[in-house]
Amino acid sequence: MIRRHGSRIQHLVNVSGGKDSTATYLLALESGRAFRAVFADTGNEHEWTYTFIQQLAARTGGPEIEIVRADFTAQLARHRAFVLREWPRMGVADHIVREAAALHEPTGIPFLDLCISKGRFPSRMAQFCTFELKAQPITLQVVFPMLRNGPVLQWLGIRAQESAHRAQQPRWNRHETGCMVWRPIFRWSVDDVWALHRRHGLEPNPLYAHGMGRVGCMPCVNCRKGELRSIAERFPTHIDRIERWEAIVAAANKRRAATFFPAVKDPMDVERPGTYAGIRTVVQWSRTSRGGRQYDMFFDDQGGGGCQSDLALCERSDP
Ligand code: SF4
């Protein structure tokens, strides 16, 4: 039993469905300690990741993964009220106001609801998705309730080899939420991670066997050119879905425009020079060996995918 004060540490493992957080889950299992495991569902994940998460406990003998989702019902209602009150005063046509207001009904897909409520997609420069879709729901729905019962230690599947940024993180630190965080595989190589999977006879998330370098949003707003090309080749329905989301988010905001990669202008569009490119155009470009200069500049600058969060809320591509 967990004592209220003074006392027994509660262990929590953040699981993303990727290899590093899975290795951390397996390590927690080997430690013999009781622990909880949590996955933040963005609604922008591959279906195999959901299956992997749902089956992990049965395949390893560990605890079930608790799934948390952000809920944007209140934000959507506030923004819908703003649309109905303010847009007519700004001269927006009635049918546009009505269409946008109707699109502010919650869909239950956290990523899409967040974008509708913000009137845009996140980006590397405005990466509100990590906090809103992952950090905040885990903190509010799991960490804070646990902290009311005593100290919490979060186990994070971060490795120094993933990136220069992650290499600078400490093995241990106190997080602003009030819990302690620990990075038990910090010095591990990728081979160490796979060796632990093998020791447990655990097949990793099948996305790796299908050529994906990381597990997380599909795609991530930070994805690289090659990753986008791979997604389009192997999982084209996810590109179709993003195209549908672009149309919905565009119809729900006053600019009547929204693109998944907002920093990319479309140098090939002679009809509308300088307009932002939708996902379909960016995918076409990703299949070229040499693309437009704007695209190259943007994608060269991408950090390798995944959340930049210090809580390892999704995986980054290995360099
Ligand atoms: S994986 Fe990418 S798109 Fe998804 S929440 Fe993290 S930064 Fe945002």
Side-chain angles (χ1 to χ4, degrees):
M1 199 181 85
I2 294 164
R3 288 190 298 275
R4 229 183 136 62
H5 293 292
S7 50
R8 197 149 126 197
I9 294 173
Q10 303 163 88
H11 298 271
L12 177 66
V13 178
N14 286 3
V15 175
S16 69
K19 62 185 184 310
D20 294 329
S21 66
T22 301
T24 307
Y25 176 94
L26 294 174
L27 259 191
L29 196 55
E30 288 187 353
S31 77
R33 297 179 177 101
F35 70 97
R36 291 171 64 179
V38 62
F39 167 74
D41 176 15
T42 64
N44 185 20
E45 315 284 334
H46 193 283
E47 51 277 18
W48 294 342
T49 297
Y50 293 119
T51 305
F52 184 80
I53 291 288
Q54 282 157 6
Q55 294 179 348
L56 191 57
R59 290 167 67 192
T60 61
E64 291 291 339
I65 313 295
E66 299 170 41
I67 299 178
V68 296
R69 292 183 187 88
D71 179 359
F72 297 100
T73 304
Q75 290 94 320
L76 287 166
R78 272 199 302 277
H79 200 248
R80 180 174 51 233
F82 175 84
V83 167
L84 290 168
R85 190 180 65 243
E86 300 297 332
W87 285 18
R89 291 185 199 165
M90 298 173 191
V92 180
D94 273 358
H95 71 281
I96 291 179
V97 173
R98 280 198 305 275
E99 182 186 19
L103 287 168
H104 281 69
E105 280 300 318
T107 67
I109 303 170
F111 198 107
L112 179 57
D113 285 348
L114 173 63
C115 296
I116 293 170
S117 72
K118 295 266 188 193
R120 58 166 293 182
F121 287 87
S123 68
R124 193 175 66 81
M125 302 305 287
Q127 200 178 297
F128 48 81
C129 45
T130 305
F131 176 76
E132 301 258 10
L133 297 171
K134 296 186 173 185
Q136 179 142 280
I138 289 176
T139 300
L140 296 182
Q141 296 176 41
V142 179
V143 173
F144 282 171
M146 287 177 81
L147 280 169
R148 285 200 282 276
N149 290 322
V152 175
L153 178 65
Q154 262 186 296
W155 299 41
L156 311 182
I158 285 179
R159 289 182 300 106
Q161 286 182 1
E162 288 179 272
S163 71
H165 172 72
R166 289 197 166 173
Q168 287 169 3
Q169 295 185 9
R171 295 290 299 272
W172 300 82
N173 66 286
R174 180 171 290 283
H175 194 260
E176 61 195 15
T177 55
C179 63
M180 292 296 295
V181 293
W182 180 34
R183 299 162 181 83
I185 65 166
F186 193 66
R187 295 280 166 222
W188 285 29
S189 66
V190 181
D191 288 346
D192 296 329
V193 168
W194 292 135
L196 188 57
H197 281 71
R198 282 195 298 277
R199 194 153 80 226
H200 286 260
L202 180 66
E203 286 293 325
N205 188 320
L207 287 170
Y208 295 113
H210 284 75
M212 303 310 297
R214 57 170 281 280
V215 167
C217 282
M218 179 149 285
C220 170
V221 294
N222 291 321
C223 84
R224 288 180 177 147
K225 181 182 184 184
E227 184 182 350
L228 183 63
R229 183 173 61 237
S230 297
I231 292 171
E233 279 168 9
R234 295 171 171 88
F235 313 113
T237 56
H238 286 271
I239 301 298
D240 297 343
R241 172 176 55 78
I242 296 293
E243 190 174 39
R244 287 195 301 276
W245 287 6
E246 286 181 330
I248 292 168
V249 178
N253 78 66
K254 196 153 58 61
R255 286 175 289 108
R256 310 287 288 167
T259 54
F260 191 79
F261 294 114
V264 186
K265 297 239 169 124
D266 182 356
M268 295 185 282
D269 190 339
V270 291
E271 300 289 319
R272 301 171 304 155
T275 51
Y276 292 118
I279 187 97
R280 193 67 59 193
T281 308
V282 183
V283 163
Q284 280 168 11
W285 164 79
S286 77
R287 293 179 171 134
T288 62
S289 54
R290 293 180 68 82
R293 202 166 62 89
Q294 304 262 25
Y295 290 103
D296 284 336
M297 283 168 61
F298 174 70
F299 276 86
D300 284 353
D301 206 26
Q302 296 283 70
C307 298
Q308 308 291 322
S309 158
D310 56 353
L311 290 178
L313 295 169
C314 86
E315 195 169 58
R316 295 174 59 78
S317 303
D318 281 290

